[in-house]
């Protein structure tokens, strides 16, 4: 099901999800989430995204503000909190550039200053890793038929990053 190392489990399964909900805070304090593609998660836990410089995500997240990366994927749910900043690194943008990013950015190229990297430095995270729907269903049926509560199949962990 998962690695013995909860940090490794969190980061590996988050990377495998490819797309997450990226949450920022507007000036009035309102939380806003939007889907974003995860470009990479490095060994030091840094999470990389690529976006346009004029997006709300960039305006709300690039001064070291708190952000959240959330994943829900086939029996795995995760929430990672951290801070974000904008980075202009042409070599890294070229490394992440693909047919998918090209389709998203249209005529833009990695060298264009309107294309920017969003670097998230995570501070903490938590996840729930489930063995799947059948195991959860069995536990729910046990809970309904007996006096005992349903067990929580899978594992949940909180980690410092």
């Amino acid at each position: 099901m998962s690695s013995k190392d909860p940090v490794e489990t969190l980061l590996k399964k988050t990377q495998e999800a490819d797309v997450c909900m990226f949450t920022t805070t507007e000036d009035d304090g309102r939380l806003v989430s939007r889907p974003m593609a995860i470009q990479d998660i490095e060994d030091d836990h840094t999470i990389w995204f690529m976006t346009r410089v004029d997006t709300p995500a960039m305006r709300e997240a690039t001064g070291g503000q708190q952000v959240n990366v959330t994943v829900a994927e086939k029996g795995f749910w995760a929430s990672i909190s951290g801070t974000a900043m904008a980075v202009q690194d042409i070599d890294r943008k070229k490394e992440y550039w693909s047919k998918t990013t090209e389709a998203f950015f249209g005529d833009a190229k990695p060298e264009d200053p309107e294309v920017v990297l969003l670097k998230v430095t995570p501070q903490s995270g938590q996840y729930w890793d489930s063995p799947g729907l059948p195991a959860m269903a069995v536990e729910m049926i046990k809970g309904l038929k007996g006096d005992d509560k349903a067990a929580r199949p899978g594992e949940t962990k909180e980690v410092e990053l």
Side-chain angles (χ1 to χ4, degrees), residues 14-161:
T14 298
Q15 175 78 54
E16 290 170 355
D18 291 328
V19 176
C20 69
M21 292 301 287
F22 183 74
T23 304
T24 59
T25 305
E26 291 187 335
D27 289 340
D28 65 3
R30 195 167 47 110
L31 296 173
V32 180
S33 298
R34 79 259 311 145
M36 289 189 69
I38 298 168
Q39 299 300 316
D40 189 25
I41 300 179
E42 295 184 327
D43 290 341
D44 69 356
H45 311 157
T46 301
I47 304 171
W48 291 94
F49 299 94
M50 197 172 344
T51 190
R52 292 186 185 277
V53 75
D54 62 352
T55 63
M58 289 304 295
R59 286 191 300 276
E60 297 161 4
T62 57
Q65 293 92 331
Q66 290 289 312
V67 297
N68 188 268
V69 175
T70 307
V71 171
E73 179 91 4
K74 298 178 187 165
F76 180 76
W77 296 267
S79 174
I80 300 172
S81 298
T83 57
M85 65 182 287
V87 174
Q88 280 290 2
D89 179 336
I90 292 172
D91 290 336
R92 188 178 291 270
K93 289 191 292 184
K94 286 180 180 178
E95 176 187 338
Y96 296 154
W97 204 259
S98 68
K99 290 291 184 190
T100 304
T101 53
E102 191 172 301
F104 180 78
F105 289 105
D107 292 338
K109 301 289 181 213
E111 298 83 6
D112 292 341
E114 71 181 57
V115 177
V116 65
L117 295 165
L118 186 60
K119 175 184 177 181
V120 174
T121 303
Q123 296 163 333
S124 64
Q126 58 188 60
Y127 69 88
W128 181 38
D129 192 10
S130 168
L133 189 55
M136 290 172 49
V138 167
E139 289 303 321
M140 293 301 292
I141 290 168
K142 281 189 205 175
L144 290 171
K145 288 190 164 210
D147 294 332
D148 295 331
K149 290 193 249 181
R152 293 183 183 170
E155 65 181 6
T156 183
K157 299 283 184 187
E158 292 184 28
V159 298
E160 292 300 313
L161 300 166

Side-chain angles (χ1 to χ4, degrees), residues 5-17:
D5 178 4
V7 171
E8 182 181 324
T9 298
L10 171 65
L11 298 175
K12 180 176 182 266
K13 290 196 168 213
T14 298
Q15 175 78 54
E16 290 170 355

